[in-house]
Amino acid sequence: MLQKNGKFFVAGHRGLAGSAICRALRRAGYENLCVRSHAELDLIDQQAVRHFFATEKPDYVVLAAARVGGIHANATYPAQFIYENLQIQNNVIHSAWQNGVQKFLFLGSSCIYPKLCPQPIKEEYLLDGALEPTNDAYALAKIAGIRMCQAYRQQYGFDAISAMPTNLYGTGDNYHPENSHVIPALIRRFHEAKESGQPQVSIWGTGTPQREFLHADDMAEACVFLLENYSDFLHVNVGSQQAMTIRELAGLVARVVGYAGEILADPSRPDGTPCKIMDSGRLFNMGWQPRIGLEEGLRAAYADFQIRQTTTKA
């Protein structure tokens, strides 16, 4: 049982996932949040992490900090993705255990699963086949994080659990023109095309891959639910189980943004995994369900994008 006055360290509190988790914790009555910016605490620095945990002594930890990005970023910077994520995980998980953290949540990614996985993807399919080559460095790091949590539970009785969210989007997303994920990339591309009057917009790949998407606030509510209700060895999928093709997604984003031009596929660009839909039945059977529909969530995300664009220009 989590204590309402217990100290929570949310690593990565400024990111899409971490900021959503902070909001969800506060909504659930957990006000004692301990956060640090990258400038204040470099999680790659082992000595700095050790000092932080020895000084602050958090009761609960959520590890949402990671180097993340879309297909382009993963394929371009694989060394950074594997090195930085392994360092962050090793430092935070080990120091949390050393300093008596009562409950630990490791946040992974659906890219941990094999490229040609049976659909929908069950937790048990992990390591059943080859990974998608464009993001295998990131995926391998996340798999190592899952296994590290399991090993520390097995050997030391450390109450560490892992949650594997599907593709996330929402408030505070990264809209970098090259390194963002698919939804923020599409929002930015269609918005700029609308503003400049472009008659056509091309999307990466054939548009045929199938994906599911989950609003970050839904993911965060699921994480709080798991912290309060789950303590076991196996990682848990966190998804919506509502899938669509990238082309269908592009059409929906264009409608939300108000772009009326033509949408073209660019087969010279990589598709990534052909189909990635997670089986979240384990979590659903515990009593949790997502509540934010995709179109509703996209409209909120676009509104957030517009606010941030206005703030940046000002």
Side-chain angles (χ1 to χ4, degrees):
M1 176 66 71
L2 304 185
Q3 301 300 313
K4 292 293 183 181
N5 62 349
K7 182 187 286 189
F8 267 93
F9 172 46
V10 180
H13 74 287
R14 288 182 169 177
L16 173 65
S19 61
I21 289 169
C22 287
R23 293 193 297 270
L25 286 168
R26 291 191 177 100
R27 284 194 297 270
Y30 301 102
E31 297 286 350
N32 189 6
L33 303 189
C34 174
V35 296
R36 294 289 187 277
S37 68
H38 177 75
E40 294 168 324
L41 176 61
D42 182 357
L43 297 177
I44 296 174
D45 184 335
Q46 186 180 71
Q47 288 302 114
V49 174
R50 285 179 174 176
H51 176 74
F52 168 80
F53 273 91
T55 304
E56 292 294 334
K57 294 287 186 181
D59 301 295
Y60 314 114
V61 173
V62 177
L63 179 49
R67 171 172 281 276
V68 299
I71 291 177
H72 175 80
N74 274 272
T76 307
Y77 311 110
Q80 288 173 265
F81 272 82
I82 194 164
Y83 172 76
E84 293 182 20
N85 286 308
L86 285 173
Q87 288 290 98
I88 290 168
Q89 294 161 194
N90 289 345
N91 292 341
V92 175
I93 295 170
H94 186 72
S95 288
W97 164 72
Q98 276 189 319
N99 288 275
V101 166
Q102 297 173 37
K103 190 72 175 270
F104 187 99
L105 173 63
F106 174 71
L107 206 62
S109 166
S110 59
C111 73
I112 62 170
Y113 293 110
K115 176 177 182 176
L116 302 177
C117 210
Q119 303 291 320
I121 305 169
K122 297 181 182 293
E123 288 90 346
E124 293 83 358
Y125 296 163
L126 183 64
L127 298 176
D128 266 1
L131 297 167
E132 160 59 41
T134 58
N135 62 12
D136 62 346
Y138 177 74
L140 285 167
K142 288 298 181 181
I143 292 168
I146 296 170
R147 187 65 190 101
M148 190 170 181
C149 287
Q150 292 172 338
Y152 275 57
R153 174 179 288 275
Q154 179 182 346
Q155 184 171 342
Y156 302 126
F158 184 41
D159 193 1
I161 60 174
S162 299
M164 297 302 114
T166 190
N167 301 288
L168 300 176
Y169 71 99
T171 303
D173 215 334
N174 170 26
Y175 293 92
H176 189 278
E178 292 183 344
N179 297 337
S180 58
H181 287 107
V182 61
I183 283 182
L186 289 173
I187 287 175
R188 177 172 183 150
R189 202 171 303 162
F190 286 125
H191 173 80
E192 291 177 348
K194 181 182 73 170
E195 293 292 294
S196 62
Q198 289 177 237
Q200 298 175 332
V201 169
S202 63
I203 59 174
W204 274 40
T206 62
T208 59
Q210 288 188 302
R211 296 288 185 272
E212 68 171 331
F213 299 94
L214 185 70
H215 195 281
D217 284 344
D218 271 338
M219 175 279 306
E221 296 290 343
C223 287
V224 174
F225 177 88
L226 288 169
L227 283 164
E228 293 178 333
N229 296 284
Y230 185 73
S231 178
D232 212 337
F233 189 81
L234 191 64
H235 63 279
V236 179
N237 288 343
V238 181
S240 64
Q241 295 193 177
Q242 296 179 351
M244 61 172 50
T245 67
I246 296 299
R247 180 176 285 279
E248 290 170 335
L249 173 69
L252 179 56
V253 174
R255 186 168 75 248
V256 165
V257 170
Y259 175 73
E262 186 180 8
I263 302 172
L264 304 176
D266 182 2
S268 69
R269 299 284 195 169
D271 269 338
T273 303
C275 186
K276 190 168 65 173
I277 305 161
M278 297 205 305
D279 184 338
S280 299
R282 184 183 303 273
L283 176 59
F284 290 2
N285 289 337
M286 293 181 209
W288 181 86
Q289 292 277 344
R291 59 180 179 80
I292 303 172
L294 183 56
E295 183 164 350
E296 173 194 356
L298 288 174
R299 292 192 182 281
Y302 182 49
D304 175 64
F305 169 80
Q306 290 175 297
I307 291 169
R308 293 173 68 187
Q309 286 290 99
T310 303
T311 304
T312 302
K313 289 176 182 177

mmCIF file of all heavy atoms in Angstrom, residues 144-189:
data_model
loop_
_atom_site.group_PDB
_atom_site.id
_atom_site.type_symbol
_atom_site.label_atom_id
_atom_site.label_comp_id
_atom_site.label_asym_id
_atom_site.label_seq_id
_atom_site.Cartn_x
_atom_site.Cartn_y
_atom_site.Cartn_z
ATOM 1 N N ALA A 144 16.760 -4.808 -21.305
ATOM 2 C CA ALA A 144 17.692 -4.945 -20.185
ATOM 3 C C ALA A 144 17.119 -4.339 -18.911
ATOM 4 O O ALA A 144 17.319 -4.870 -17.804
ATOM 5 C CB ALA A 144 19.026 -4.285 -20.536
ATOM 6 N N GLY A 145 16.384 -3.211 -19.038
ATOM 7 C CA GLY A 145 15.770 -2.595 -17.868
ATOM 8 C C GLY A 145 14.703 -3.477 -17.242
ATOM 9 O O GLY A 145 14.622 -3.601 -16.013
ATOM 10 N N ILE A 146 13.890 -4.109 -18.084
ATOM 11 C CA ILE A 146 12.887 -5.051 -17.580
ATOM 12 C C ILE A 146 13.559 -6.181 -16.815
ATOM 13 O O ILE A 146 13.178 -6.533 -15.693
ATOM 14 C CB ILE A 146 12.063 -5.649 -18.739
ATOM 15 C CG1 ILE A 146 11.253 -4.588 -19.452
ATOM 16 C CG2 ILE A 146 11.126 -6.757 -18.229
ATOM 17 C CD1 ILE A 146 10.620 -5.077 -20.739
ATOM 18 N N ARG A 147 14.578 -6.759 -17.452
ATOM 19 C CA ARG A 147 15.255 -7.911 -16.843
ATOM 20 C C ARG A 147 15.974 -7.517 -15.557
ATOM 21 O O ARG A 147 16.044 -8.302 -14.611
ATOM 22 C CB ARG A 147 16.245 -8.523 -17.846
ATOM 23 C CG ARG A 147 16.851 -9.824 -17.346
ATOM 24 C CD ARG A 147 15.798 -10.923 -17.199
ATOM 25 N NE ARG A 147 16.313 -12.103 -16.508
ATOM 26 C CZ ARG A 147 16.091 -12.392 -15.228
ATOM 27 N NH1 ARG A 147 15.348 -11.573 -14.489
ATOM 28 N NH2 ARG A 147 16.589 -13.486 -14.685
ATOM 29 N N MET A 148 16.498 -6.293 -15.513
ATOM 30 C CA MET A 148 17.165 -5.828 -14.296
ATOM 31 C C MET A 148 16.172 -5.721 -13.145
ATOM 32 O O MET A 148 16.464 -6.134 -12.017
ATOM 33 C CB MET A 148 17.838 -4.483 -14.559
ATOM 34 C CG MET A 148 18.750 -4.027 -13.430
ATOM 35 S SD MET A 148 19.719 -2.580 -13.926
ATOM 36 C CE MET A 148 20.690 -2.338 -12.417
ATOM 37 N N CYS A 149 14.990 -5.178 -13.428
ATOM 38 C CA CYS A 149 13.955 -5.110 -12.391
ATOM 39 C C CYS A 149 13.582 -6.509 -11.911
ATOM 40 O O CYS A 149 13.423 -6.755 -10.703
ATOM 41 C CB CYS A 149 12.723 -4.394 -12.926
ATOM 42 S SG CYS A 149 12.932 -2.614 -13.127
ATOM 43 N N GLN A 150 13.452 -7.438 -12.845
ATOM 44 C CA GLN A 150 13.114 -8.820 -12.476
ATOM 45 C C GLN A 150 14.222 -9.466 -11.658
ATOM 46 O O GLN A 150 13.955 -10.182 -10.684
ATOM 47 C CB GLN A 150 12.833 -9.618 -13.746
ATOM 48 C CG GLN A 150 11.573 -9.198 -14.484
ATOM 49 C CD GLN A 150 11.431 -9.863 -15.833
ATOM 50 O OE1 GLN A 150 12.412 -10.310 -16.420
ATOM 51 N NE2 GLN A 150 10.212 -9.925 -16.346
ATOM 52 N N ALA A 151 15.470 -9.218 -12.046
ATOM 53 C CA ALA A 151 16.603 -9.810 -11.329
ATOM 54 C C ALA A 151 16.695 -9.288 -9.901
ATOM 55 O O ALA A 151 16.978 -10.048 -8.969
ATOM 56 C CB ALA A 151 17.899 -9.524 -12.094
ATOM 57 N N TYR A 152 16.458 -7.994 -9.722
ATOM 58 C CA TYR A 152 16.532 -7.418 -8.382
ATOM 59 C C TYR A 152 15.351 -7.881 -7.532
ATOM 60 O O TYR A 152 15.476 -8.024 -6.316
ATOM 61 C CB TYR A 152 16.588 -5.887 -8.471
ATOM 62 C CG TYR A 152 17.991 -5.359 -8.688
ATOM 63 C CD1 TYR A 152 18.750 -5.767 -9.778
ATOM 64 C CD2 TYR A 152 18.571 -4.460 -7.803
ATOM 65 C CE1 TYR A 152 20.039 -5.296 -9.987
ATOM 66 C CE2 TYR A 152 19.853 -3.970 -7.995
ATOM 67 C CZ TYR A 152 20.585 -4.402 -9.102
ATOM 68 O OH TYR A 152 21.862 -3.925 -9.290
ATOM 69 N N ARG A 153 14.193 -8.115 -8.161
ATOM 70 C CA ARG A 153 13.074 -8.708 -7.439
ATOM 71 C C ARG A 153 13.419 -10.137 -7.019
ATOM 72 O O ARG A 153 13.179 -10.547 -5.871
ATOM 73 C CB ARG A 153 11.809 -8.699 -8.308
ATOM 74 C CG ARG A 153 10.616 -9.432 -7.695
ATOM 75 C CD ARG A 153 9.392 -9.370 -8.599
ATOM 76 N NE ARG A 153 8.811 -8.038 -8.606
ATOM 77 C CZ ARG A 153 7.935 -7.609 -7.698
ATOM 78 N NH1 ARG A 153 7.541 -8.408 -6.711
ATOM 79 N NH2 ARG A 153 7.431 -6.395 -7.771
ATOM 80 N N GLN A 154 13.985 -10.896 -7.954
ATOM 81 C CA GLN A 154 14.308 -12.299 -7.725
ATOM 82 C C GLN A 154 15.376 -12.474 -6.653
ATOM 83 O O GLN A 154 15.242 -13.307 -5.748
ATOM 84 C CB GLN A 154 14.782 -12.915 -9.043
ATOM 85 C CG GLN A 154 15.193 -14.371 -8.968
ATOM 86 C CD GLN A 154 15.696 -14.869 -10.324
ATOM 87 O OE1 GLN A 154 15.504 -14.225 -11.358
ATOM 88 N NE2 GLN A 154 16.349 -16.004 -10.320
ATOM 89 N N GLN A 155 16.443 -11.680 -6.731
ATOM 90 C CA GLN A 155 17.570 -11.867 -5.814
ATOM 91 C C GLN A 155 17.413 -11.124 -4.496
ATOM 92 O O GLN A 155 17.781 -11.643 -3.437
ATOM 93 C CB GLN A 155 18.868 -11.423 -6.490
ATOM 94 C CG GLN A 155 20.121 -11.672 -5.645
ATOM 95 C CD GLN A 155 21.394 -11.420 -6.430
ATOM 96 O OE1 GLN A 155 21.394 -11.389 -7.653
ATOM 97 N NE2 GLN A 155 22.490 -11.246 -5.711
ATOM 98 N N TYR A 156 16.856 -9.916 -4.545
ATOM 99 C CA TYR A 156 16.826 -9.062 -3.361
ATOM 100 C C TYR A 156 15.420 -8.818 -2.801
ATOM 101 O O TYR A 156 15.288 -8.179 -1.755
ATOM 102 C CB TYR A 156 17.449 -7.700 -3.680
ATOM 103 C CG TYR A 156 18.875 -7.763 -4.171
ATOM 104 C CD1 TYR A 156 19.239 -7.153 -5.366
ATOM 105 C CD2 TYR A 156 19.872 -8.427 -3.443
ATOM 106 C CE1 TYR A 156 20.553 -7.189 -5.824
ATOM 107 C CE2 TYR A 156 21.185 -8.478 -3.892
ATOM 108 C CZ TYR A 156 21.520 -7.860 -5.084
ATOM 109 O OH TYR A 156 22.815 -7.890 -5.539
ATOM 110 N N GLY A 157 14.382 -9.276 -3.509
ATOM 111 C CA GLY A 157 13.029 -8.981 -3.062
ATOM 112 C C GLY A 157 12.630 -7.534 -3.285
ATOM 113 O O GLY A 157 11.699 -7.034 -2.644
ATOM 114 N N PHE A 158 13.304 -6.853 -4.199
ATOM 115 C CA PHE A 158 13.019 -5.448 -4.511
ATOM 116 C C PHE A 158 11.696 -5.356 -5.266
ATOM 117 O O PHE A 158 11.509 -6.004 -6.297
ATOM 118 C CB PHE A 158 14.168 -4.882 -5.348
ATOM 119 C CG PHE A 158 14.063 -3.418 -5.668
ATOM 120 C CD1 PHE A 158 13.636 -2.493 -4.721
ATOM 121 C CD2 PHE A 158 14.426 -2.951 -6.925
ATOM 122 C CE1 PHE A 158 13.564 -1.143 -5.024
ATOM 123 C CE2 PHE A 158 14.363 -1.594 -7.240
ATOM 124 C CZ PHE A 158 13.932 -0.699 -6.279
ATOM 125 N N ASP A 159 10.775 -4.550 -4.774
ATOM 126 C CA ASP A 159 9.448 -4.448 -5.382
ATOM 127 C C ASP A 159 9.506 -3.530 -6.610
ATOM 128 O O ASP A 159 9.043 -2.386 -6.579
ATOM 129 C CB ASP A 159 8.435 -3.931 -4.367
ATOM 130 C CG ASP A 159 6.998 -4.105 -4.843
ATOM 131 O OD1 ASP A 159 6.797 -4.647 -5.950
ATOM 132 O OD2 ASP A 159 6.072 -3.698 -4.111
ATOM 133 N N ALA A 160 10.097 -4.049 -7.677
ATOM 134 C CA ALA A 160 10.236 -3.312 -8.929
ATOM 135 C C ALA A 160 9.318 -3.931 -9.975
ATOM 136 O O ALA A 160 9.347 -5.148 -10.195
ATOM 137 C CB ALA A 160 11.683 -3.349 -9.410
ATOM 138 N N ILE A 161 8.501 -3.087 -10.609
ATOM 139 C CA ILE A 161 7.601 -3.551 -11.661
ATOM 140 C C ILE A 161 7.891 -2.764 -12.944
ATOM 141 O O ILE A 161 8.513 -1.700 -12.898
ATOM 142 C CB ILE A 161 6.116 -3.382 -11.257
ATOM 143 C CG1 ILE A 161 5.786 -1.905 -10.989
ATOM 144 C CG2 ILE A 161 5.791 -4.243 -10.033
ATOM 145 C CD1 ILE A 161 4.304 -1.633 -10.729
ATOM 146 N N SER A 162 7.421 -3.297 -14.059
ATOM 147 C CA SER A 162 7.665 -2.652 -15.353
ATOM 148 C C SER A 162 6.361 -2.523 -16.129
ATOM 149 O O SER A 162 5.582 -3.478 -16.197
ATOM 150 C CB SER A 162 8.665 -3.455 -16.184
ATOM 151 O OG SER A 162 9.918 -3.541 -15.528
ATOM 152 N N ALA A 163 6.156 -1.358 -16.730
ATOM 153 C CA ALA A 163 4.997 -1.113 -17.581
ATOM 154 C C ALA A 163 5.480 -0.794 -18.989
ATOM 155 O O ALA A 163 6.423 -0.017 -19.168
ATOM 156 C CB ALA A 163 4.174 0.057 -17.040
ATOM 157 N N MET A 164 4.827 -1.404 -19.994
ATOM 158 C CA MET A 164 5.214 -1.204 -21.398
ATOM 159 C C MET A 164 4.107 -0.474 -22.147
ATOM 160 O O MET A 164 3.150 -1.096 -22.620
ATOM 161 C CB MET A 164 5.486 -2.556 -22.072
ATOM 162 C CG MET A 164 6.637 -3.339 -21.493
ATOM 163 S SD MET A 164 8.210 -2.459 -21.535
ATOM 164 C CE MET A 164 8.503 -2.240 -19.765
ATOM 165 N N PRO A 165 4.202 0.857 -22.239
ATOM 166 C CA PRO A 165 3.164 1.603 -22.959
ATOM 167 C C PRO A 165 3.272 1.423 -24.471
ATOM 168 O O PRO A 165 4.357 1.207 -25.004
ATOM 169 C CB PRO A 165 3.447 3.062 -22.580
ATOM 170 C CG PRO A 165 4.468 3.024 -21.501
ATOM 171 C CD PRO A 165 5.195 1.739 -21.652
ATOM 172 N N THR A 166 2.152 1.544 -25.129
ATOM 173 C CA THR A 166 2.139 1.600 -26.587
ATOM 174 C C THR A 166 2.552 3.008 -27.019
ATOM 175 O O THR A 166 3.045 3.802 -26.206
ATOM 176 C CB THR A 166 0.737 1.237 -27.121
ATOM 177 O OG1 THR A 166 0.798 1.072 -28.531
ATOM 178 C CG2 THR A 166 -0.299 2.284 -26.750
ATOM 179 N N ASN A 167 2.356 3.358 -28.282
ATOM 180 C CA ASN A 167 2.750 4.673 -28.794
ATOM 181 C C ASN A 167 1.966 5.779 -28.086
ATOM 182 O O ASN A 167 0.732 5.794 -28.125
ATOM 183 C CB ASN A 167 2.467 4.745 -30.301
ATOM 184 C CG ASN A 167 3.219 3.670 -31.064
ATOM 185 O OD1 ASN A 167 4.424 3.736 -31.212
ATOM 186 N ND2 ASN A 167 2.490 2.673 -31.544
ATOM 187 N N LEU A 168 2.696 6.705 -27.468
ATOM 188 C CA LEU A 168 2.072 7.760 -26.682
ATOM 189 C C LEU A 168 2.044 9.081 -27.440
ATOM 190 O O LEU A 168 2.864 9.330 -28.321
ATOM 191 C CB LEU A 168 2.838 7.966 -25.372
ATOM 192 C CG LEU A 168 2.933 6.775 -24.428
ATOM 193 C CD1 LEU A 168 3.799 7.138 -23.227
ATOM 194 C CD2 LEU A 168 1.563 6.307 -23.982
ATOM 195 N N TYR A 169 1.104 9.927 -27.056
ATOM 196 C CA TYR A 169 1.020 11.289 -27.571
ATOM 197 C C TYR A 169 0.308 12.113 -26.514
ATOM 198 O O TYR A 169 -0.261 11.572 -25.564
ATOM 199 C CB TYR A 169 0.235 11.331 -28.894
ATOM 200 C CG TYR A 169 -1.250 11.076 -28.711
ATOM 201 C CD1 TYR A 169 -2.156 12.124 -28.658
ATOM 202 C CD2 TYR A 169 -1.741 9.779 -28.526
ATOM 203 C CE1 TYR A 169 -3.509 11.895 -28.445
ATOM 204 C CE2 TYR A 169 -3.084 9.547 -28.320
ATOM 205 C CZ TYR A 169 -3.967 10.603 -28.286
ATOM 206 O OH TYR A 169 -5.298 10.375 -28.067
ATOM 207 N N GLY A 170 0.341 13.445 -26.654
ATOM 208 C CA GLY A 170 -0.409 14.261 -25.712
ATOM 209 C C GLY A 170 0.302 15.543 -25.329
ATOM 210 O O GLY A 170 1.226 15.998 -26.015
ATOM 211 N N THR A 171 -0.096 16.093 -24.196
ATOM 212 C CA THR A 171 0.434 17.369 -23.711
ATOM 213 C C THR A 171 1.925 17.270 -23.435
ATOM 214 O O THR A 171 2.376 16.353 -22.764
ATOM 215 C CB THR A 171 -0.296 17.785 -22.422
ATOM 216 O OG1 THR A 171 -1.702 17.847 -22.683
ATOM 217 C CG2 THR A 171 0.186 19.133 -21.923
ATOM 218 N N GLY A 172 2.678 18.223 -23.972
ATOM 219 C CA GLY A 172 4.114 18.249 -23.719
ATOM 220 C C GLY A 172 4.917 17.368 -24.640
ATOM 221 O O GLY A 172 6.065 17.034 -24.335
ATOM 222 N N ASP A 173 4.355 16.993 -25.787
ATOM 223 C CA ASP A 173 5.060 16.103 -26.717
ATOM 224 C C ASP A 173 6.234 16.834 -27.380
ATOM 225 O O ASP A 173 6.360 18.058 -27.319
ATOM 226 C CB ASP A 173 4.092 15.591 -27.786
ATOM 227 C CG ASP A 173 4.392 14.165 -28.214
ATOM 228 O OD1 ASP A 173 5.555 13.737 -28.088
ATOM 229 O OD2 ASP A 173 3.462 13.474 -28.672
ATOM 230 N N ASN A 174 7.094 16.042 -28.046
ATOM 231 C CA ASN A 174 8.253 16.564 -28.757
ATOM 232 C C ASN A 174 7.899 16.734 -30.233
ATOM 233 O O ASN A 174 7.584 15.752 -30.912
ATOM 234 C CB ASN A 174 9.431 15.592 -28.601
ATOM 235 C CG ASN A 174 10.599 15.940 -29.517
ATOM 236 O OD1 ASN A 174 10.774 17.093 -29.906
ATOM 237 N ND2 ASN A 174 11.394 14.949 -29.861
ATOM 238 N N TYR A 175 7.958 17.970 -30.721
ATOM 239 C CA TYR A 175 7.571 18.258 -32.102
ATOM 240 C C TYR A 175 8.777 18.576 -32.987
ATOM 241 O O TYR A 175 8.651 19.285 -33.978
ATOM 242 C CB TYR A 175 6.575 19.420 -32.127
ATOM 243 C CG TYR A 175 5.256 19.070 -31.485
ATOM 244 C CD1 TYR A 175 5.026 19.325 -30.131
ATOM 245 C CD2 TYR A 175 4.246 18.455 -32.211
ATOM 246 C CE1 TYR A 175 3.817 18.994 -29.535
ATOM 247 C CE2 TYR A 175 3.036 18.118 -31.624
ATOM 248 C CZ TYR A 175 2.833 18.389 -30.292
ATOM 249 O OH TYR A 175 1.644 18.052 -29.691
ATOM 250 N N HIS A 176 9.924 18.031 -32.638
ATOM 251 C CA HIS A 176 11.132 18.261 -33.443
ATOM 252 C C HIS A 176 10.883 17.775 -34.873
ATOM 253 O O HIS A 176 10.311 16.693 -35.080
ATOM 254 C CB HIS A 176 12.312 17.498 -32.834
ATOM 255 C CG HIS A 176 13.630 17.837 -33.448
ATOM 256 N ND1 HIS A 176 14.072 17.268 -34.632
ATOM 257 C CD2 HIS A 176 14.613 18.682 -33.050
ATOM 258 C CE1 HIS A 176 15.258 17.744 -34.930
ATOM 259 N NE2 HIS A 176 15.616 18.601 -33.995
ATOM 260 N N PRO A 177 11.304 18.541 -35.884
ATOM 261 C CA PRO A 177 10.994 18.173 -37.276
ATOM 262 C C PRO A 177 11.580 16.852 -37.744
ATOM 263 O O PRO A 177 11.060 16.245 -38.686
ATOM 264 C CB PRO A 177 11.566 19.346 -38.085
ATOM 265 C CG PRO A 177 12.522 20.037 -37.163
ATOM 266 C CD PRO A 177 12.001 19.828 -35.784
ATOM 267 N N GLU A 178 12.652 16.349 -37.097
ATOM 268 C CA GLU A 178 13.262 15.088 -37.522
ATOM 269 C C GLU A 178 13.201 13.991 -36.468
ATOM 270 O O GLU A 178 13.126 12.812 -36.805
ATOM 271 C CB GLU A 178 14.732 15.321 -37.901
ATOM 272 C CG GLU A 178 14.928 16.164 -39.151
ATOM 273 C CD GLU A 178 16.389 16.309 -39.513
ATOM 274 O OE1 GLU A 178 17.247 16.031 -38.646
ATOM 275 O OE2 GLU A 178 16.679 16.693 -40.659
ATOM 276 N N ASN A 179 13.233 14.349 -35.187
ATOM 277 C CA ASN A 179 13.404 13.344 -34.132
ATOM 278 C C ASN A 179 12.131 13.006 -33.363
ATOM 279 O O ASN A 179 12.179 12.305 -32.358
ATOM 280 C CB ASN A 179 14.479 13.811 -33.137
ATOM 281 C CG ASN A 179 15.833 13.954 -33.794
ATOM 282 O OD1 ASN A 179 16.107 13.337 -34.824
ATOM 283 N ND2 ASN A 179 16.694 14.772 -33.210
ATOM 284 N N SER A 180 10.982 13.492 -33.812
ATOM 285 C CA SER A 180 9.737 13.243 -33.082
ATOM 286 C C SER A 180 9.084 11.929 -33.518
ATOM 287 O O SER A 180 9.444 11.349 -34.540
ATOM 288 C CB SER A 180 8.761 14.403 -33.315
ATOM 289 O OG SER A 180 8.499 14.561 -34.695
ATOM 290 N N HIS A 181 8.100 11.487 -32.726
ATOM 291 C CA HIS A 181 7.319 10.306 -33.064
ATOM 292 C C HIS A 181 6.230 10.680 -34.074
ATOM 293 O O HIS A 181 6.067 11.840 -34.434
ATOM 294 C CB HIS A 181 6.708 9.703 -31.805
ATOM 295 C CG HIS A 181 7.708 9.012 -30.929
ATOM 296 N ND1 HIS A 181 8.144 9.531 -29.736
ATOM 297 C CD2 HIS A 181 8.379 7.838 -31.091
ATOM 298 C CE1 HIS A 181 9.031 8.718 -29.187
ATOM 299 N NE2 HIS A 181 9.188 7.685 -29.983
ATOM 300 N N VAL A 182 5.458 9.674 -34.497
ATOM 301 C CA VAL A 182 4.593 9.869 -35.660
ATOM 302 C C VAL A 182 3.495 10.909 -35.440
ATOM 303 O O VAL A 182 3.269 11.766 -36.298
ATOM 304 C CB VAL A 182 4.001 8.515 -36.137
ATOM 305 C CG1 VAL A 182 3.152 7.844 -35.067
ATOM 306 C CG2 VAL A 182 3.188 8.701 -37.408
ATOM 307 N N ILE A 183 2.781 10.888 -34.315
ATOM 308 C CA ILE A 183 1.683 11.837 -34.129
ATOM 309 C C ILE A 183 2.184 13.277 -34.043
ATOM 310 O O ILE A 183 1.682 14.150 -34.773
ATOM 311 C CB ILE A 183 0.801 11.448 -32.926
ATOM 312 C CG1 ILE A 183 -0.112 10.277 -33.315
ATOM 313 C CG2 ILE A 183 -0.032 12.643 -32.443
ATOM 314 C CD1 ILE A 183 -1.073 9.827 -32.246
ATOM 315 N N PRO A 184 3.153 13.610 -33.183
ATOM 316 C CA PRO A 184 3.627 14.996 -33.181
ATOM 317 C C PRO A 184 4.234 15.421 -34.515
ATOM 318 O O PRO A 184 4.102 16.580 -34.922
ATOM 319 C CB PRO A 184 4.658 15.033 -32.056
ATOM 320 C CG PRO A 184 5.018 13.609 -31.807
ATOM 321 C CD PRO A 184 3.796 12.824 -32.120
ATOM 322 N N ALA A 185 4.879 14.480 -35.218
ATOM 323 C CA ALA A 185 5.443 14.804 -36.533
ATOM 324 C C ALA A 185 4.338 15.171 -37.512
ATOM 325 O O ALA A 185 4.456 16.147 -38.274
ATOM 326 C CB ALA A 185 6.248 13.617 -37.062
ATOM 327 N N LEU A 186 3.245 14.407 -37.495
ATOM 328 C CA LEU A 186 2.130 14.687 -38.402
ATOM 329 C C LEU A 186 1.432 15.996 -38.031
ATOM 330 O O LEU A 186 1.045 16.775 -38.911
ATOM 331 C CB LEU A 186 1.128 13.530 -38.382
ATOM 332 C CG LEU A 186 1.583 12.228 -39.044
ATOM 333 C CD1 LEU A 186 0.555 11.127 -38.798
ATOM 334 C CD2 LEU A 186 1.814 12.423 -40.544
ATOM 335 N N ILE A 187 1.249 16.239 -36.736
ATOM 336 C CA ILE A 187 0.611 17.482 -36.309
ATOM 337 C C ILE A 187 1.413 18.673 -36.815
ATOM 338 O O ILE A 187 0.870 19.615 -37.399
ATOM 339 C CB ILE A 187 0.477 17.529 -34.769
ATOM 340 C CG1 ILE A 187 -0.625 16.571 -34.303
ATOM 341 C CG2 ILE A 187 0.170 18.958 -34.288
ATOM 342 C CD1 ILE A 187 -0.753 16.466 -32.791
ATOM 343 N N ARG A 188 2.713 18.632 -36.625
ATOM 344 C CA ARG A 188 3.544 19.753 -37.070
ATOM 345 C C ARG A 188 3.517 19.896 -38.590
ATOM 346 O O ARG A 188 3.384 21.008 -39.118
ATOM 347 C CB ARG A 188 4.981 19.553 -36.593
ATOM 348 C CG ARG A 188 5.915 20.658 -37.078
ATOM 349 C CD ARG A 188 7.273 20.587 -36.464
ATOM 350 N NE ARG A 188 8.084 21.699 -36.922
ATOM 351 C CZ ARG A 188 9.050 22.260 -36.220
ATOM 352 N NH1 ARG A 188 9.316 21.825 -34.999
ATOM 353 N NH2 ARG A 188 9.757 23.261 -36.711
ATOM 354 N N ARG A 189 3.625 18.767 -39.295
ATOM 355 C CA ARG A 189 3.695 18.816 -40.756
ATOM 356 C C ARG A 189 2.395 19.375 -41.355
ATOM 357 O O ARG A 189 2.420 20.222 -42.246
ATOM 358 C CB ARG A 189 3.979 17.416 -41.299
ATOM 359 C CG ARG A 189 4.581 17.412 -42.700
ATOM 360 C CD ARG A 189 5.026 16.027 -43.081
ATOM 361 N NE ARG A 189 5.972 15.480 -42.123
ATOM 362 C CZ ARG A 189 6.264 14.189 -42.017
ATOM 363 N NH1 ARG A 189 5.668 13.303 -42.800
ATOM 364 N NH2 ARG A 189 7.132 13.777 -41.133
#
